């Protein structure tokens, strides 16, 4: 039986058939590459464009918030935070998330306006009717959303003080779902669920790459007790360390512990509903097609696979409390200085780049780059004053056929058969396909998963990038086809390197403040007690 003939299929039969084929893995549906011919496979299993943007939208939903939500209690119970990725052709125009006052769709309208015409939007939840009517009116081409609890939650609020309040909240959510479905069935843009099955080795490949990436390698080379789970950590480690240095890290165990912690957290955020309730949610959202077998089981499995994959990628850059690592700049005297942006925000941005790296077309290694700018205007979304400038991964030139260019690395003696002269680097793609211009009055930051090479360093400086966040494992090295000799001497650009948090003489770690000063972690722990004692004495 064809997917379009399933009982309960709605008006957009052909679109729903395409969606269901993606869910069930039918091979006749092709994934159009954002860079080259669809047959390009890269150096290993490769994320499809649909799954990459879906993962980015889920990750944006978890963007660190600087302040607590200011909505009233009833609205907080109804509205779920939502991430959004805006795509136009080969460019990612925006990475957004809900703010204290605005939903993700409203943020997109404010940020992009008429530029939304012809764009594809990827939501981490089905947007509410208020957002839908505006983005449909803007002329978007396609709207894809995660098939879980929608933006206006259909799950009963858990904190309501009375049963009447709970019933009122649920009724409001159901009315919004009905309105959203009416907008969906009466509008021009295709709207629905776009998920694609992962290749058979994708999970293992992502885990191995994440556990042996440059951030994990840096921790291992600093004296970690174990290498990455994928067999990385082959770099030489110091045999001795100062007596006041932090104890050695078991990097392998750290990655696994972080991976399981992330899996639990992300599962609660995106999959915290049993199968019966999930079917009910899908029915209320107008996705009756996916409630029948085997499509429902396939949908649940693909959702679980993507959450697990996101957990592995996010574990490549551990939380700061797990080992005391962060981004710091070294001055001429060797003293480390923290940036004036919170480390959890920086970590979130570098993981965006890590996700992009799994879309690579480079047959040897995946690299991702993201450029953010800190504007002067007040924020309208959950990213504060930050807004996306551009993002990219390393790939062959646009429109290329995979077989047109050499694929070999540096091990081949024939230099004409090597690929390095033809690959567009991640930093170059991020600059080429940027969505807005780089402004001198704004602090522009590039996050890249590997040390920029000599080919990219002049571009970074010339484009006006003010800060670079990366690792320096390759800095100062010459690898024949490609060298990294210019990065260390890069002038006019602040270089923040992923490294161990500075240590004091008593062995305690230092923490960064918003104004860039340093404070002992021990002092930070004592301050709340000191403040409470002062209040008691007043």
């Amino acid at each position: 039986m064809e997917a379009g003939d399933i009982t309960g299929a709605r008006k957009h039969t052909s679109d729903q058939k395409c969606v269901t084929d993606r869910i069930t893995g039918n091979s006749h549906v092709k994934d159009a590459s954002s860079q080259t011919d669809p047959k390009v496979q890269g150096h290993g299993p490769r994320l499809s464009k649909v799954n990459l943007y879906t993962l980015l939208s889920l990750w944006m939903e978890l963007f660190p918030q600087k302040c607590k939500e200011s909505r009233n209690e009833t609205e907080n119970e109804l509205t779920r935070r939502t991430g959004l990725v805006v795509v136009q052709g080969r460019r990612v125009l925006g990475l957004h998330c809900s703010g204290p006052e605005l939903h993700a769709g409203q943020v997109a309208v404010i940020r992009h306006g008429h530029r939304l015409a012809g764009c594809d939007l990827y939501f981490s939840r089905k947007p509410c009717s208020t957002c839908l009517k505006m983005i449909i009116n803007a002329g978007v081409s396609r709207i894809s959303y995660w098939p879980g609890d929608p933006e206006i939650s259909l799950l009963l609020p858990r904190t309501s003080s009375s049963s009447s309040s709970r019933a009122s909240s649920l009724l409001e959510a159901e009315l919004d779902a009905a309105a959203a479905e009416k907008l969906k069935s009466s509008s021009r843009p295709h709207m629905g669920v776009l998920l694609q099955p992962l290749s058979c080795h994708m999970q293992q490949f992502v885990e191995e790459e994440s556990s042996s990436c440059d951030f994990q390698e840096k921790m291992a080379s600093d004296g970690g007790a174990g290498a990455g789970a994928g067999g990385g950590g082959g770099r030489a480690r110091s045999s001795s360390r100062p007596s006041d240095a932090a104890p050695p890290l078991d990097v392998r165990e750290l990655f696994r512990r972080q991976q399981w912690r992330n899996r639990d957290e992300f599962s609660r955020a995106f999959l915290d509903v049993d199968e019966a309730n999930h079917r009910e949610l899908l029915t209320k959202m107008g996705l009756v097609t996916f409630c029948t077998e085997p499509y429902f089981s396939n949908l649940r499995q693909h959702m679980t696979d993507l959450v697990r994959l996101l957990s592995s990628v996010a574990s490549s850059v551990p939380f700061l409390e797990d080992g005391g690592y962060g981004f710091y700049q070294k001055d001429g005297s060797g003293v480390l200085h923290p940036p004036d942006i919170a480390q959890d925000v920086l970590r979130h941005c570098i993981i965006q780049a890590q996700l992009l790296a799994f879309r690579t077309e480079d047959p040897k290694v995946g690299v991702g780059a993201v450029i953010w700018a800190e504007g002067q205007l007040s924020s309208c979304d959950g990213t504060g004053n930050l807004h996306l400038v551009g993002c990219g991964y390393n790939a062959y030139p646009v429109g290329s056929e995979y077989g047109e260019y050499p694929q070999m690395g540096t091990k081949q003696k024939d230099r004409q058969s090597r690929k390095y002269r033809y690959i567009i680097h991640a930093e170059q793609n991020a600059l080429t396909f940027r969505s807005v211009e780089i402004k001198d009055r704004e602090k522009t930051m590039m996050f890249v998963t590997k040390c920029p090479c000599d080919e990219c360093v002049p571009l970074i400086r010339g484009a006006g990038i003010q800060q670079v966040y990366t690792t320096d494992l390759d800095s100062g090295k010459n690898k024949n086809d490609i060298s990294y000799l210019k990065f260390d001497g890069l002038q006019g650009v602040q270089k923040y390197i992923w490294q161990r948090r500075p240590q004091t003489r008593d062995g305690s770690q230092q923490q960064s403040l918003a104004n860039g000063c340093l404070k002992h972690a021990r002092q930070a722990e004592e301050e709340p007690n000191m403040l409470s004692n002062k209040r008691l004495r007043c």
Side-chain angles (χ1 to χ4, degrees), residues 182-230:
K182 180 66 174 177
L183 286 165
K184 170 185 174 181
S185 61
S186 303
S187 62
R188 181 183 69 244
H190 292 300
M191 192 183 313
V193 177
L194 293 179
L195 295 179
Q196 294 176 330
L198 298 175
S199 60
C200 59
H201 301 298
M202 190 71 195
Q203 289 284 5
Q204 180 182 356
F205 175 75
V206 169
E207 181 173 341
E208 291 177 352
E209 290 290 305
S210 298
S211 63
S212 60
C213 69
D214 278 22
F215 301 98
Q216 296 284 327
E217 289 280 315
K218 175 67 174 179
M219 297 166 65
S221 65
D222 283 349

Side-chain angles (χ1 to χ4, degrees), residues 45-47 55 198 201-213 255 259 308-314 316 354-355 358:
R46 185 172 181 237
L47 271 181
L55 288 168
L198 298 175
H201 301 298
M202 190 71 195
Q203 289 284 5
Q204 180 182 356
F205 175 75
V206 169
E207 181 173 341
E208 291 177 352
E209 290 290 305
S210 298
S211 63
S212 60
C213 69
F255 176 83
Q259 186 182 34
R308 289 179 177 176
L309 189 146
L310 182 61
S311 302
S312 296
V313 177
S316 62
Q354 290 282 80
L355 284 168
F358 288 104

